[in-house]
Amino acid sequence: MARPRTPLLSRERIVAAALRLIDDEGLDALSTRRLASELSVSGPSLYNHFATKDELLDAVVDSVIGEVDLSMFGTTGVAGAGGGSWPEALRDWARSYRAALAAHPNIVPVLAQGPGRRPNALRLADAVFGHLVESGWPRGQATRIGALMRYFVTGSALASFAAGFPADAEVYDAADYPHLGEAHRLAGHRGTVDEGAFETGLEALLDGLALRYARLAERP
């Protein structure tokens, strides 16, 4: 029996092709017709796996979230309980989360809307919240910390601060912008500036949270 010319269609193959298309050309490039062409199948065959484009996009977003490492939340997070402390866990998770988003920046605007019904996104939320509560944070504060960290990480991945400054030195007239004489150099150091900003913000957040955590322990 002859083999089919193309691999059998599956949800995983469709999601992978859709993500490649979004990575290469942006969200607007994703359409049933274009995706079917990329996969060498008929458009209607896609609907056997995804009823709508929104359902497909949810699966693509969830596949990106599935790249985030959650192993640091495998213990209670209490120092000496077989794993790192909650600040170390949040630090490692935030870095992994940002790395996943940085690898697929075009999907970030959709991802930033929240977990919805996406399984990997809900597992992520459950892991972060559970770890914080088991580490001694009140449930209400654990919820707010989870939200805060998500805002920070997704915000850092939405765009490059450094790349937003034109490389043309003439833009920054000293009479109008006396402190931006070196701003034209920022775009050329995009990686260093943006990575440094993320790390500075992450440490500032964790330092602030550590102070709040210490105050919790002081309460009668």
Side-chain angles (χ1 to χ4, degrees), residues 161 165 169 171-186:
F161 173 82
F165 288 83
V171 171
Y172 310 98
D173 190 311
D176 296 321
Y177 316 109
H179 305 295
L180 295 182
E182 300 295 318
H184 63 286
R185 303 182 188 277
L186 286 172

Side-chain angles (χ1 to χ4, degrees), residues 58-218:
D58 266 354
V60 173
V61 171
D62 208 43
S63 73
V64 173
I65 293 298
E67 298 177 12
V68 181
D69 183 13
L70 299 178
S71 64
M72 66 287 297
F73 299 127
T75 69
T76 62
V78 179
S85 64
W86 63 263
E88 293 171 341
L90 284 184
R91 181 182 293 107
D92 291 344
W93 166 68
R95 288 171 174 165
S96 177
Y97 195 6
R98 181 172 182 265
L101 302 193
H104 309 285
N106 291 334
I107 204 69
V108 175
V110 182
L111 183 150
Q113 296 172 7
R117 297 175 181 270
R118 303 163 190 154
N120 285 328
L122 290 171
R123 275 191 285 272
L124 184 152
D126 180 76
V128 175
F129 177 77
H131 189 85
L132 289 169
V133 170
E134 290 171 354
S135 297
W137 284 98
R139 294 174 67 87
Q141 292 197 41
T143 298
R144 291 191 286 274
I145 293 168
L148 168 66
M149 296 299 294
R150 188 172 69 83
Y151 295 154
F152 172 67
V153 174
T154 55
S156 73
L158 278 172
S160 166
F161 173 82
F165 288 83
D168 183 357
E170 294 184 1
V171 171
Y172 310 98
D173 190 311
D176 296 321
Y177 316 109
H179 305 295
L180 295 182
E182 300 295 318
H184 63 286
R185 303 182 188 277
L186 286 172
H189 300 277
R190 173 177 176 174
T192 301
V193 173
D194 293 344
E195 182 68 25
F198 173 78
E199 289 294 331
T200 298
L202 179 59
E203 293 306 319
L205 280 175
L206 293 176
D207 286 347
L209 289 174
L211 291 175
R212 294 180 66 89
Y213 189 78
R215 287 198 293 269
L216 287 177
E218 294 172 357

